[in-house]
Amino acid sequence: MTAARPAAAVREALRSYALTLPDAYEDHPWGESVVKVRKKIFVFFGTDGSDEPGLGMKLNSSQPIALAQPGVTPSGYGLGKAGWVSIRISPDMPFEMLREWIDESYRAVAPKTLVAQLGGPPDE
């Protein structure tokens, strides 16, 4: 069993991972750190140095599974109805699951030509 990483370290590792996806770049609207593809946000990372690091992402397929996890809620401002979830990172959340959700969010937002570069089936 591996030691749990602190939430801030998990957030940073996920941010670094998101930036490896095709045409992904970081932006800071509203004072938050977000990762975008072609001017569309696919992951919200909140503000740097937050006491409770979290994420927001679009999960068209996995939203019901995500919402069954502790610390995961539908995103506010009506975004939850469109598949967006807010995730409070906890040490016992599987890192690989969070990475897969970033991939799913990217596939939901990115143009099909960029999604094709990832391989595998596109997300609907």
Side-chain angles (χ1 to χ4, degrees):
M1 187 168 163
T2 60
R5 292 194 245 183
V10 171
R11 177 188 179 270
E12 182 56 29
L14 291 169
R15 187 188 67 78
S16 294
Y17 172 72
L19 290 169
T20 67
L21 297 171
D23 280 7
Y25 65 97
E26 189 169 19
D27 197 4
H28 296 90
W30 318 290
E32 288 192 46
S33 178
V34 302
V35 179
K36 295 180 174 181
V37 59
R38 302 268 170 98
K39 299 183 181 181
K40 292 182 177 183
I41 297 170
F42 68 96
V43 187
F44 289 88
F45 284 97
T47 55
D48 290 337
S50 172
D51 289 339
E52 290 189 14
L55 310 168
M57 59 186 96
K58 185 172 178 70
L59 300 178
N60 290 337
S61 300
S62 300
Q63 187 189 38
I65 294 166
L67 292 174
Q69 306 301 312
V72 181
T73 58
S75 295
Y77 306 105
L79 292 171
K81 292 178 183 171
W84 287 86
V85 298
S86 296
I87 303 164
R88 188 180 64 241
I89 299 172
S90 70
D92 51 338
M93 251 182 193
F95 182 78
E96 197 56 41
M97 176 183 71
L98 294 170
R99 264 184 52 155
E100 288 171 8
W101 288 351
I102 287 175
D103 287 343
E104 182 177 338
S105 188
Y106 178 88
R107 289 172 181 275
V109 173
K112 290 179 183 179
T113 54
L114 293 177
V115 171
Q117 292 179 31
L118 298 177
D123 224 23
E124 296 298 322

